[in-house]
């Protein structure tokens, strides 16, 4: 039996922006999924105060046979929004997708770029409380990318707590103030973002 996490203990509070760094298989994604309630720990407990918003698969819940509008409502419910909250955000989502009349037709007719615009707009339409992200969200074609980056930055800034697992140390430095270095399912080090990333990067650098 493989033990994905071992002796992991941490406490996060409002304002924390935490990067999870470490090599592949270090336990970053597993830890995120435990925080999200997707995996239940065999030993120990996870206590959360506030709505957890895991951003692991923004296309989750998309039904190819129904319209863009209906998929917006379906995905919104999966994210925990009420019907009223979804309808309140609908104009913003519609405008952001730039899909126009295509929202009236089944999404199986969409190109991959159109699908990305739809799922991304819905995924970032609310103010998250505890935001868990596995890698940074990148969305769509070049013409849409700048618009998407601005929106996701605003989305992240609204979160009370952010936990981001990413291989991009630049992204971690930009958006996080704390870091946890995962190694073989354990916390090797934790502390200020620059201190931890510098130590991790130094360990990962090839010997001269």
């Amino acid at each position: 039996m493989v033990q994905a996490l071992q002796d992991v203990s941490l406490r996060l509070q409002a304002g924390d922006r935490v990067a999870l760094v470490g090599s592949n298989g270090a336990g970053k994604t597993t830890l995120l999924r435990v925080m999200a309630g997707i995996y239940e720990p065999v030993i120990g407990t996870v206590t959360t105060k506030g709505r957890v918003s895991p951003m692991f698969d923004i296309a989750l819940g998309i039904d190819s046979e129904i319209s863009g509008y209906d998929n917006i409502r379906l995905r919104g419910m999966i994210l925990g929004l009420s019907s009223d909250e979804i309808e309140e955000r609908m104009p913003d989502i519609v405008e952001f997708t730039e899909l126009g009349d295509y929202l009236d037709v089944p999404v199986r007719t969409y190109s991959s770029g159109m699908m990305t615009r739809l799922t991304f707009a819905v995924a970032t339409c609310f103010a998250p409380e505890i935001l868990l992200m596995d890698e940074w969200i990148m969305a769509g074609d070049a013409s849409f990318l700048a618009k998407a980056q601005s929106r996701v930055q605003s989305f992240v800034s609204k979160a009370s707590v952010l936990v981001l697992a990413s291989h991009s140390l630049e992204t971690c430095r930009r958006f996080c103030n704390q870091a946890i270095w995962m190694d073989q399912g354990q916390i090797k080090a934790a502390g200020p973002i620059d201190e931890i990333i510098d130590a991790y990067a130094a360990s990962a650098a090839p010997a001269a």
Side-chain angles (χ1 to χ4, degrees):
M1 183 179 71
V2 176
Q3 189 169 354
L5 298 174
Q6 183 178 356
D7 300 326
V8 173
S9 179
L10 60 129
R11 180 185 181 92
L12 306 179
Q13 58 188 14
D16 283 347
R17 300 283 188 270
V18 182
L20 299 180
V21 300
S23 60
N24 289 331
K28 303 184 300 296
T29 296
T30 300
L31 179 55
L32 278 179
R33 292 178 182 271
V34 170
M35 290 180 176
I38 297 172
Y39 297 160
E40 186 171 340
V42 176
I43 301 172
T45 59
V46 178
T47 302
T48 57
K49 294 181 180 179
R51 184 167 68 183
V52 177
S53 301
M55 299 288 287
F56 304 148
D57 182 1
I58 63 173
L60 179 68
I62 293 296
D63 185 336
S64 63
E65 296 302 318
I66 62 178
S67 72
Y69 280 115
D70 287 339
N71 268 294
I72 290 171
R73 296 183 177 97
L74 178 62
R75 176 61 181 156
M77 287 189 290
I78 290 173
L79 289 170
L81 301 177
S82 68
S83 296
D84 288 343
E85 287 174 324
I86 297 168
E87 296 307 321
E88 179 183 335
R89 290 163 174 76
M90 186 68 78
D92 170 68
I93 296 170
V94 169
E95 179 183 2
F96 191 82
T97 65
E98 301 176 351
L99 292 176
D101 292 341
Y102 281 103
L103 290 170
D104 290 310
V105 302
V107 300
R108 57 179 162 75
T109 64
Y110 289 13
S111 67
S112 60
M114 293 166 67
M115 183 71 77
T116 299
R117 288 173 181 243
L118 176 70
T119 56
F120 179 85
V122 180
T124 55
C125 75
F126 63 100
E129 293 178 338
I130 302 169
L131 178 59
L132 308 178
M133 296 177 68
D134 196 359
E135 289 300 342
W136 195 245
I137 300 174
M138 301 295 286
D141 51 78
S143 63
F144 187 65
L145 193 55
K147 183 178 178 181
Q149 288 283 39
S150 175
R151 184 175 175 102
V152 79
Q153 289 173 28
S154 174
F155 175 69
V156 167
S157 70
K158 295 174 184 175
S160 177
V161 173
L162 167 68
V163 184
L164 167 67
S166 178
H167 289 289
S168 170
L169 300 185
E170 179 184 348
T171 298
C172 292
R173 288 187 196 271
R174 183 177 179 185
F175 291 97
C176 299
N177 53 27
Q178 301 288 317
I180 295 173
W181 177 1
M182 299 293 298
D183 183 54
Q184 297 183 350
Q186 296 181 298
I187 295 177
K188 184 165 185 175
I193 185 73
D194 289 333
E195 175 186 319
I196 300 302
I197 284 185
D198 286 348
Y200 170 66
S203 75

